[in-house]
Amino acid sequence: MNARIFGVEVADELRAIFREPTALFFSIVMPVGFFALFVSLYGRIPAGPVPVGTGMLATFGTFAVLSVSLTNPGITVAGDRERGWLRAKRVSAVPIGVTLAAKLVAVLPYSAGVLLAMTATAALTGSLNVSVVELMRVFAVLILGALPFALLGLAVGFQAGPNATAAILNAILFPSAVLSGLWMPLEILPAFFGHIAQFLPTYHLAQLAIAQLAGEGAAVHALVVLCSTAATAVLAAMSYRHARS
């Protein structure tokens, strides 16, 4: 029964994004549109062991999962709080933990869908040069790497209303994308961008994805992502307890 209830909750969360045009645009349409523009302009340029277009799949893919995971759980949980739905869930037959877990799990298929759309775009523009195994590794890293950002989105959603949550999360999303070199290589940006990037989990997730293509070690990047997951999990739990009080 619990598995069935969980499946219903996940399906409801998957439908929620299509009921929210703003979330649909920022989490799916915009990342794929940005990728289509940049990969069509620069995707065929050779650059070291990883062609530019293939490398963009890792960096813009990071931006895509960041968009999906930050905005969707946070905005939906903020809306649920404002409507009193979370309060009702606490006294319903469905445990509140199942509902919150469903919000996190629902991020995974959406992340996969956006990454597939980007892969198709790179293939159509002739910019995709990667084996199936490498592509699957990139997908696995990015989809699982969405978790800390989904937890951060929940933490914000537990504290702010839907409009404020959207504003806060977008204020995190876009500077993180620029400072982490997700849109433009850090090498062509001012030097201080690279210094700041070292402290951002978005940068380390992108580098972890790139490492799957370049065949390089990425233990430090993986450790940062894992530590970020632990930190945001604690932050989300504290934020939830504070919202209940």
Side-chain angles (χ1 to χ4, degrees), residues 34-47 50-57 59-60 122 125-128 182-185 188:
F34 274 18
F35 178 76
L37 173 63
F38 280 88
V39 80
S40 63
L41 292 173
Y42 307 111
R44 296 186 181 184
I45 299 174
V50 180
V52 170
T54 304
M56 282 183 179
L57 195 59
T59 54
F60 276 85
T125 58
S127 305
L128 186 65
L182 304 185
W183 292 347
M184 293 173 287
I188 67 173

Side-chain angles (χ1 to χ4, degrees), residues 39-83:
V39 80
S40 63
L41 292 173
Y42 307 111
R44 296 186 181 184
I45 299 174
V50 180
V52 170
T54 304
M56 282 183 179
L57 195 59
T59 54
F60 276 85
T62 302
F63 174 62
V65 300
L66 181 63
S67 301
V68 171
S69 58
L70 263 181
T71 56
N72 292 327
I75 292 174
T76 58
V77 81
D80 289 347
R81 280 182 53 249
E82 187 174 73
R83 293 189 298 269

Side-chain angles (χ1 to χ4, degrees), residues 21-39:
T22 301
L24 176 64
F25 175 79
F26 281 106
S27 62
I28 294 182
V29 177
M30 186 184 65
V32 175
F34 274 18
F35 178 76
L37 173 63
F38 280 88
V39 80

Side-chain angles (χ1 to χ4, degrees), residues 88-105:
K89 282 283 189 178
R90 295 190 194 111
V91 296
S92 72
V94 179
I96 186 66
V98 172
T99 299
L100 297 179
K103 291 182 182 296
L104 296 177
V105 171

Side-chain angles (χ1 to χ4, degrees), residues 162-185:
N163 291 335
T165 296
I168 293 168
L169 294 178
N170 281 316
I172 295 172
L173 171 64
F174 292 104
S176 296
V178 175
L179 293 170
S180 300
L182 304 185
W183 292 347
M184 293 173 287

Side-chain angles (χ1 to χ4, degrees), residues 141 204-205 207-212 215-225:
V141 163
H204 291 282
L205 179 58
Q207 294 304 307
L208 185 58
I210 291 173
Q212 309 311 307
E216 300 172 349
V220 172
H221 302 305
L223 181 61
V224 171
V225 173

